[in-house]
Amino acid sequence: MKTIEDRDQKDNFPEILPVIPTVDVVVFPHMIVPLLVLDAKIIKGVQQSVERSKLVLLLAAKQQVNNLNTIGTKDLHDVGTIASIMRVIKIPEGGIKILVQGICKARAIEVIASDNNLQAIVEPFKNVEEKDVVALASVISDIKIIAENLSGSGGAFSPDFHLILSKMNDPEKIIDFILSHLVLSVEQAQELLEKTSQAEILAKLHGDLMREVEVSQLQERIKSDARESMNKAQKEFYLREQIRVIKKELGEEDDQEIDDLYNKLAQLDAPESVKTEIKRHIQRLSRTAPESMEATVTHNYLDWIFSLPWNIETEDRLDIDYARKILDAEHHGLKKIKERILDFISIRKLKQDGYAPILCFVGPPGTGKTSLGKSIAKSLGRKYARISLGGVKDEAEIRGHRRTYVGAMPGRFIQALKKAGSCNPLIVIDELDKIGADFRGDPSAAMLEVLDPQQNKTFHDNYLGIPFDLSKVMFVATANNLDTISEPLRDRLEIIELSGYILEEKITIAKKHLLERAINDSGLSDYKVDISDAVLKDIITSYTKEAGVRQFERTIRRLCSKAARSIVENDTIIKFDSDNIEKYLGPRKFMSEDALTQDLIGITNGLAWTPYGGEIIKIEAVLMSGKGKLILTGHLGNVMKESAQAALSYARVHAKEFGIDKKMFTNHDLHIHVPAGGVPKDGPSAGITMLLSILSVLTQRPINSKYAMTGELNLCGEVMPIGGVREKILAAQRSKVPHVILPYKNKNDLVDCQDLITSVEIILVKTANEAIDRVLLPAESKNKPSAAKV
């Protein structure tokens, strides 16, 4: 092969040369490249060049050009390479192959396209002398070091690359050698071709080689990581095989564990669909490596499945006398609930698969709702489990977590069934009204399936992934307030309200349960510690103010702790009485100040319901000079404010009947206040109470303090029915108010209050005038204290 080595001929190049466009390749000086030419115009130019100078101009097409046939003069770079045609080969299909060698760089001053050929006026590049020889030598030295690193990395460059390059010193030959090994894009190669200085070219090549080093290091690091990973997997496989062989020699193969699971499956009394699913998981476990995470998850899942009581039931004890005995022994009062449980037992005795109610006990804290559920389970002979839903915000607490999560577990109901050990236990759902909700879902919505007898036959727990029958479970829910329970959930419940205990009931509960428990827990079983009825009554009235007995029990325990300390320190037993009780419990907290004890003007005893029982509230009214404004204070809600406005309107309309000057409404401001100001209050039941306070200040007639009242008032003067009757009567009884005024339409509610009527007189009224006639005292009682100043 003949090459061009005489560089002095550069000055003798013809001014016009045929142009050969190149696609995807840039030809540098001294580079030998084969080219395929198909275009007839270009072929003709090549033939003319072969006959004359054998020289052509190679111009690279710009990057965006994809089709050689569509290349125009504007699609070619201005700078190219003058090359010598070394060989021409014709192709049978048409076209030619040529072998060219680059001679020098040249600029195309003008590209001329004609019908016959493509030519260009060329201007060869002149050699530029390098001024900074030292810098050039430094770059060459760095390039040789990089070449050494590349040859050792085993990348795209062969080991001979560094050996050959290390023996070169001529910058031009070094450039040619590196370019023959580097893989560059058209744009990168063209950028190098257009540089006139060797220093510039070497600097650019230095950067390209540095990138090659980085790519090579990255590839080596990836290969190393992959190699380590493969080695680790091979090691684990080898060790696992050794363990398997050792276990085989010892007779402890994993097959024994799989056989045990199949034996458990054969003995499991579960539906066929459940058994099919379990079998599928056992087969998967047998094909899984024992040390893998999937095997651990499957093991845990199968453990849960086999531990559930699929068809394990306890037989109900359908003995009404025994159930009544248990309920009466463990809970005093609560007649309505006990009757409902006895009704359920009667139905079950007649029909084994009869309707099972979902009871919901609603009432103040400390009234025995949760413990009542345990007594019901005992009376029926069922297993007992308790689930507290207070503060639960995650739906997964009810339905369980999916097994894809780390630490996944079934929901609380499946866990309760496992703990109970039977599929028909009694489950107490505590604090149902305190379920929360957030971005993780609404647990109360998930409870709809649990508490619906038509749906819970196939309850779906996300962890189990198979249906479980909850229809045999007896659910008992407890709540303090129905307002926070959603309407669809409330619709599934049979609501039974627990009011609170009267004084006598609390004393009886203390004597039957609380005293004995407190004495035993304090270590006083061997000592005669006596707490009389008088002391218990004093504790109830002076130290506690509640519907239940929780605070009452704590106070009794305080007395027992004082007795225990006296025995330890002084070896004496304290005899508690009403005279020394303050010494051990501190000053009395409640002095019966809730209800009025004096007949005052503008102050009326009202009755209110709270989630914790009934309360006595005072409605205060004063009259002052002004412009007829109504001022309401005491943290009142909108409904209560409207009740005050309705009472004032009724008083204005009937002012003449009550002997009130109409100017009183325009020349004075009326201020109504309901203590305590920091406690929110709302509801319509204070209408009649507010009316009496308003009439009292307007007529200057005092109000009889022996009356407490409740009732909604309409503009016609009718007293409308209200709720919480028993709780309100209990509040009046605790405050020792002898007379209670109630709406006549609440007459039927008194059926459940017969035990209270003996100590409190109940007065039923249809209209406001009936209450006014009883409560407003004659106007001549001017010596009475007044809360109002006109």
Side-chain angles (χ1 to χ4, degrees):
M1 185 179 293
K2 184 178 179 182
T3 61
I4 305 297
E5 296 183 357
D6 187 10
R7 305 302 172 91
D8 295 334
Q9 293 180 358
K10 294 179 182 176
D11 297 334
N12 301 323
F13 292 138
E15 185 179 356
I16 298 176
L17 289 175
V19 174
I20 298 179
T22 61
V23 180
D24 296 335
V25 64
V26 176
V27 180
F28 286 88
H30 312 136
M31 186 182 291
I32 299 174
V33 179
L35 297 175
L36 175 65
V37 181
L38 300 175
D39 187 85
K41 186 187 301 184
I42 306 300
I43 292 173
K44 190 170 184 180
V46 170
Q47 291 172 347
Q48 292 175 356
S49 176
V50 170
E51 295 173 357
R52 298 173 186 172
S53 63
K54 293 188 178 182
L55 298 176
V56 292
L57 179 64
L58 305 178
L59 293 179
K62 294 179 180 177
Q63 192 172 9
Q64 63 267 27
V65 178
N66 296 321
N67 190 351
L68 190 61
N69 296 325
T70 62
I71 294 178
T73 57
K74 295 181 180 179
D75 297 327
L76 301 175
H77 286 287
D78 296 336
V79 177
T81 303
I82 296 176
S84 172
I85 300 175
M86 302 175 66
R87 184 179 299 174
V88 178
I89 302 173
K90 292 184 180 181
I91 302 174
E93 294 83 3
I96 58 173
K97 275 188 179 180
I98 61 174
L99 189 66
V100 297
Q101 181 181 15
I103 298 175
C104 69
K105 302 177 185 177
R107 184 181 303 276
I109 304 300
E110 183 181 357
V111 178
I112 303 168
S114 64
D115 295 338
N116 297 328
N117 55 21
L118 184 66
Q119 296 179 326
I121 300 173
V122 298
E123 180 184 359
F125 278 19
K126 295 182 180 179
N127 291 332
V128 178
E129 292 186 9
E130 300 297 336
K131 297 180 181 179
D132 194 348
V133 180
V134 176
L136 191 64
S138 176
V139 174
I140 292 173
S141 177
D142 287 346
I143 288 176
K144 290 181 178 181
I145 294 172
I146 295 172
E148 183 179 1
N149 293 334
L150 281 172
S151 63
S153 64
F157 295 88
S158 65
D160 296 336
F161 178 75
H162 166 61
L163 294 175
I164 298 172
L165 189 64
S166 63
K167 296 177 181 179
M168 291 182 177
N169 294 314
D170 184 4
E172 192 169 1
K173 290 185 177 180
I174 290 174
I175 292 171
D176 294 343
F177 182 70
I178 294 175
L179 285 173
S180 66
H181 285 77
L182 270 180
V183 179
L184 300 173
S185 66
V186 173
E187 292 301 322
Q188 289 174 330
Q190 184 66 32
E191 184 182 355
L192 279 170
L193 185 67
E194 292 179 2
K195 293 186 181 297
T196 58
S197 168
Q198 290 180 346
E200 292 179 352
I201 296 174
L202 287 171
K204 181 69 171 60
L205 291 175
H206 181 275
D208 292 337
L209 288 173
M210 285 296 297
R211 277 194 296 274
E212 288 290 336
V213 171
E214 292 175 0
V215 170
S216 178
Q217 290 175 346
L218 179 60
Q219 289 176 341
E220 184 61 28
R221 189 160 59 248
I222 293 172
K223 289 179 181 178
S224 177
D225 292 344
R227 192 160 47 247
E228 288 180 4
S229 178
M230 290 176 64
N231 290 340
K232 184 179 179 182
Q234 290 172 351
K235 180 181 177 182
E236 288 180 356
F237 176 77
Y238 177 70
L239 293 175
R240 206 176 288 123
E241 284 297 308
Q242 283 187 325
I243 293 172
R244 188 182 64 80
V245 173
I246 293 171
K247 285 186 175 180
K248 184 177 181 181
E249 292 296 325
L250 294 174
E252 299 177 358
E253 287 191 87
D254 292 333
D255 293 342
Q256 182 62 44
E257 184 180 6
I258 301 299
D259 291 340
D260 292 342
L261 291 174
Y262 278 117
N263 291 335
K264 288 183 180 180
L265 177 60
Q267 298 171 10
L268 187 67
D269 186 10
E272 285 302 320
S273 59
V274 174
K275 287 188 173 184
T276 303
E277 182 68 14
I278 297 173
K279 185 177 180 180
R280 188 173 68 85
H281 280 85
I282 295 175
Q283 290 173 347
R284 177 187 295 177
L285 181 63
S286 65
R287 298 190 299 267
T288 307
E291 293 78 14
S292 66
M293 180 62 71
E294 185 180 356
T296 304
V297 171
T298 307
H299 264 296
N300 293 337
Y301 173 73
L302 292 172
D303 287 344
W304 269 103
I305 291 289
F306 287 124
S307 64
L308 291 178
W310 289 97
N311 278 318
I312 302 175
E313 296 184 36
T314 55
E315 187 177 352
D316 288 343
R317 184 165 185 172
L318 305 176
D319 187 339
I320 290 183
D321 294 334
Y322 174 78
R324 183 185 290 113
K325 181 180 177 181
I326 292 294
L327 294 173
D328 289 340
E330 298 188 356
H331 288 83
H332 180 73
L334 307 177
K335 181 180 178 182
K336 189 175 181 180
I337 295 176
K338 293 177 181 178
E339 291 293 330
R340 187 66 188 88
I341 298 305
L342 296 178
D343 292 344
F344 168 73
I345 294 175
S346 301
I347 293 173
R348 274 300 167 97
K349 194 162 187 176
L350 298 175
K351 186 177 175 60
Q352 289 292 328
D353 57 347
Y355 169 72
I358 299 174
L359 305 178
C360 180
F361 302 149
V362 180
T367 51
K369 298 184 296 296
T370 305
S371 60
L372 188 59
K374 195 168 186 177
S375 299
I376 295 172
K378 186 178 179 180
S379 65
L380 289 171
R382 292 195 177 197
K383 297 291 184 68
Y384 169 80
R386 174 180 165 273
I387 298 172
S388 179
L389 297 183
V392 171
K393 295 183 178 181
D394 191 354
E395 181 191 356
E397 294 285 340
I398 309 298
R399 293 186 183 275
H401 302 81
R402 300 189 184 279
R403 293 195 300 276
T404 52
Y405 297 108
V406 176
M409 292 184 67
R412 294 198 179 193
F413 287 91
I414 297 298
Q415 293 181 40
L417 287 168
K418 177 187 175 183
K419 184 178 179 181
S422 73
C423 65
N424 67 334
L426 184 143
I427 296 180
V428 171
I429 306 171
D430 221 358
E431 311 295 352
L432 183 63
D433 58 327
K434 297 175 181 62
I435 295 180
D438 63 6
F439 65 93
R440 291 168 292 186
D442 185 0
S444 63
M447 288 294 297
L448 298 177
E449 181 184 4
V450 176
L451 299 181
D452 191 333
Q454 303 301 321
Q455 298 183 43
N456 62 17
K457 291 180 181 179
T458 56
F459 173 68
H460 181 83
D461 186 278
N462 291 329
Y463 181 83
L464 297 182
I466 48 181
F468 195 95
D469 186 4
L470 296 182
S471 62
K472 298 176 182 178
V473 179
M474 183 175 183
F475 295 103
V476 174
T478 70
N480 297 125
N481 189 1
L482 284 175
D483 295 339
T484 56
I485 302 176
S486 65
E487 188 64 33
L489 185 56
R490 198 187 315 170
D491 184 58
R492 287 162 167 77
L493 305 173
E494 182 177 331
I495 308 296
I496 300 179
E497 296 187 0
L498 287 77
S499 310
Y501 299 110
I502 60 177
L503 177 66
E504 291 76 11
E505 287 178 329
K506 289 185 178 181
I507 293 175
T508 304
I509 292 170
K511 292 167 69 176
K512 292 176 66 175
H513 305 286
L514 306 184
L515 274 174
E516 182 181 356
R517 191 158 59 216
I519 288 172
N520 290 334
D521 292 346
S522 302
L524 300 173
S525 304
D526 298 332
Y527 300 91
K528 190 176 181 181
V529 178
D530 182 41
I531 300 178
S532 64
D533 290 2
V535 173
L536 294 174
K537 183 178 179 181
D538 203 354
I539 292 173
I540 294 169
T541 56
S542 303
Y543 289 93
T544 64
K545 187 181 180 183
E546 59 179 345
V549 293
R550 195 166 285 156
Q551 182 63 30
F552 182 34
E553 182 178 10
R554 279 194 289 266
T555 309
I556 292 174
R557 288 181 181 276
R558 285 179 60 193
L559 285 182
C560 291
S561 66
K562 296 296 182 182
R565 182 176 175 184
S566 176
I567 293 172
V568 173
E569 289 184 346
N570 306 318
D571 198 21
T572 58
I573 299 176
I574 301 174
K575 183 174 177 58
F576 298 106
D577 55 43
S578 297
D579 296 328
N580 65 3
I581 195 172
E582 285 193 6
K583 178 181 177 182
Y584 302 106
L585 297 179
R588 288 173 168 80
K589 298 179 181 179
F590 308 104
M591 304 298 293
S592 300
E593 293 181 351
D594 285 339
L596 292 174
T597 56
Q598 295 181 333
D599 302 334
L600 302 176
I601 293 175
I603 303 180
T604 312
N605 286 326
L607 295 169
W609 178 91
T610 72
Y612 309 102
E615 296 283 347
I616 287 278
I617 61 171
K618 299 172 187 174
I619 307 293
E620 303 174 350
V622 294
L623 205 63
M624 63 194 85
S625 297
K627 298 182 180 180
K629 291 193 298 183
L630 175 62
I631 303 170
L632 300 172
T633 57
H635 208 328
L636 307 184
N638 291 332
V639 177
M640 202 165 184
K641 289 178 181 178
E642 292 171 358
S643 296
Q645 187 63 57
L648 178 59
S649 299
Y650 180 81
R652 293 186 68 172
V653 170
H654 299 85
K656 187 175 181 181
E657 299 176 21
F658 299 121
I660 302 171
D661 186 355
K662 291 189 176 181
K663 293 182 179 180
M664 296 284 287
F665 296 102
T666 56
N667 297 335
H668 294 82
D669 290 341
L670 180 63
H671 184 178
I672 299 177
H673 178 68
V674 184
V679 179
K681 309 167 194 71
D682 205 0
S685 64
I688 185 66
T689 317
M690 288 180 170
L691 174 64
L692 284 162
S693 293
I694 292 170
L695 292 177
S696 176
V697 295
L698 291 173
T699 61
Q700 288 297 291
R701 294 171 62 182
I703 294 173
N704 193 334
S705 61
K706 295 181 180 179
Y707 286 84
M709 63 202 70
T710 180
E712 181 181 354
L713 179 71
N714 64 17
L715 293 177
C716 298
E718 296 176 345
V719 183
M720 308 299 290
I722 45 81
V725 172
R726 181 178 174 86
E727 288 84 353
K728 293 177 179 179
I729 296 176
L730 277 171
Q733 186 194 59
R734 286 198 300 268
S735 299
K736 300 179 181 178
V737 178
H739 310 288
V740 174
I741 294 177
L742 295 174
Y744 182 83
K745 293 181 180 180
N746 284 111
K747 182 178 180 180
N748 292 336
D749 295 322
L750 298 179
V751 174
D752 297 329
C753 305
Q754 295 301 317
D755 53 341
L756 306 178
I757 296 176
T758 56
S759 57
V760 177
E761 181 190 7
I762 306 298
I763 301 162
L764 300 174
V765 297
K766 295 181 178 179
T767 63
N769 288 337
E770 296 178 40
I772 293 168
D773 294 341
R774 285 179 176 273
V775 179
L776 280 183
L777 296 175
E780 56 265 25
S781 303
K782 297 294 183 182
N783 58 337
K784 296 290 182 183
S786 175
K789 293 183 179 179
V790 181

